[in-house]
């Protein structure tokens, strides 16, 4: 039996918008409060690619002095401030996709964590 899809759900972060630099800065600044510097290359490997997040950073570097919930709270606050005051760029073609899909009959929903 052939199914005809009527819509598509697109993730916002990393699919339509280049938000990763904002997440990096938000986390970097949160860890700086604890005198820890996140290496950008390590961030993109361990945080973005492997999904280890702040807990992984603490474990990889033996940062027992860091209260993980405080770091996460500060990171969320940093990110929120950035998105309220700066522009997150869309990836090339994102607007085109969002315009063309409805034109060919697809309902589009944008989802985000």
């Amino acid at each position: 039996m052939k199914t005809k899809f009527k819509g598509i759900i697109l993730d916002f972060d990393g699919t339509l918008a280049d938000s990763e630099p904002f997440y990096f800065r938000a986390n970097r600044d949160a860890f700086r409060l604890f005198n820890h510097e996140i290496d950008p290359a390590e961030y993109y490997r361990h945080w973005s690619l492997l999904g280890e997040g702040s807990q992984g950073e603490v474990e990889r570097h033996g940062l027992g002095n860091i209260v993980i919930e405080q770091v996460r709270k500060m990171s969320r606050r940093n990110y929120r401030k950035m998105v309220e005051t700066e522009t997150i760029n869309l990836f090339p073609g994102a607007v085109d996709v969002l315009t063309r899909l409805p034109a060919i009959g697809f309902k589009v929903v944008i989802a985000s964590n």
Side-chain angles (χ1 to χ4, degrees):
M1 184 162 118
K2 192 173 183 181
T3 303
K4 181 180 177 189
F5 295 100
K6 296 180 182 180
I8 187 167
I9 300 171
L10 297 170
D11 184 42
F12 183 73
D13 293 311
T15 302
L16 297 173
D18 188 12
S19 55
E20 198 61 46
F22 283 66
Y23 283 111
F24 169 73
R25 288 175 35 218
N27 285 294
R28 178 201 63 197
D29 293 350
F31 271 92
R32 280 181 173 170
L33 294 174
F34 293 91
N35 298 314
H36 176 70
E37 191 69 29
I38 297 175
D39 176 79
E42 185 177 295
Y43 173 85
Y44 286 101
R45 174 169 173 68
H46 289 277
W47 292 61
S48 296
L49 182 64
L50 300 175
E52 295 174 0
S54 53
Q55 185 67 45
E57 186 75 12
V58 167
E59 291 171 2
R60 274 191 316 284
H61 294 281
L63 304 172
N65 63 319
I66 292 181
V67 178
I68 198 70
E69 280 310 314
Q70 288 178 342
V71 171
R72 289 178 178 155
K73 182 178 179 181
M74 183 54 67
S75 177
R76 286 190 298 270
R77 185 178 300 150
N78 293 344
Y79 184 79
R80 189 175 327 112
K81 184 176 180 181
M82 281 185 269
V83 298
E84 289 172 354
T85 60
E86 300 178 42
T87 300
I88 296 178
N89 294 318
L90 296 177
F91 283 116
V95 172
D96 191 42
V97 166
L98 293 172
T99 303
R100 288 179 185 235
L101 286 173
I104 62 172
F106 277 91
K107 293 180 182 177
V108 176
V109 175
I110 299 173
S112 189
N113 188 11

